[in-house]
Amino acid sequence: VQLQAFGGGSVQAGDSLRLSCTVSGGTFSSYALGWFRQTPGKAREFVAAIRWTGDRTYYDNSVKGRFTISRDDAENTAFLQMNNLKPDDTAAYYCAAGIAFDYSDSTYDYWGQGTQVTVSS
């Protein structure tokens, strides 16, 4: 199973970005999908997750109301719509796939490479 994340960039505070994560191999519809982020010197942190059925989502409080996770099983793609971005959102963002719908990165089996998001004030 391979994941590829893209869509990062450099934006101003208040702007929006949409990250995408394509998944190849495996059975996409059976995976829970998660987004995590990491800044240098810090541990990777949970951002959002979506259940394999797509009917449940979970967000870290820091992004709730601003970010939306979604999935398109026909395209084997997960999305993270990020609105009203803040400088604190600056990080490398990673997508992950696994069986468990969870906020812990240890429960995800497959990871994509990071895509950098930089938000300036």
Side-chain angles (χ1 to χ4, degrees):
V1 179
Q2 294 185 327
L3 285 72
Q4 185 174 4
F6 52 95
S10 296
V11 297
Q12 298 287 321
D15 286 349
S16 298
L17 276 175
R18 188 194 199 200
L19 304 184
S20 300
C21 175
T22 59
V23 181
S24 59
T27 304
F28 181 84
S29 60
S30 68
Y31 294 129
L33 302 166
W35 286 96
F36 294 78
R37 63 188 181 187
Q38 189 172 24
T39 55
K42 293 187 177 181
R44 186 163 51 193
E45 63 178 27
F46 170 76
V47 176
I50 186 166
R51 199 167 179 238
W52 53 91
T53 53
D55 61 343
R56 288 183 61 191
T57 56
Y58 185 60
Y59 298 92
D60 182 77
N61 285 337
S62 65
V63 305
K64 196 174 295 183
R66 300 187 297 122
F67 290 12
T68 302
I69 188 172
S70 61
R71 62 188 296 155
D72 183 340
D73 286 7
E75 297 295 330
N76 287 3
T77 302
F79 304 98
L80 184 69
Q81 177 67 42
M82 306 185 294
N83 297 331
N84 191 21
L85 283 160
K86 303 176 180 181
D88 283 349
D89 296 319
T90 295
Y93 283 72
Y94 298 85
C95 59
I99 301 300
F101 171 56
D102 202 273
Y103 59 85
S104 172
D105 60 358
S106 64
T107 63
Y108 290 84
D109 302 305
Y110 309 105
W111 291 83
Q113 86 293 353
T115 183
Q116 180 67 34
V117 173
T118 302
V119 185
S120 57
S121 57

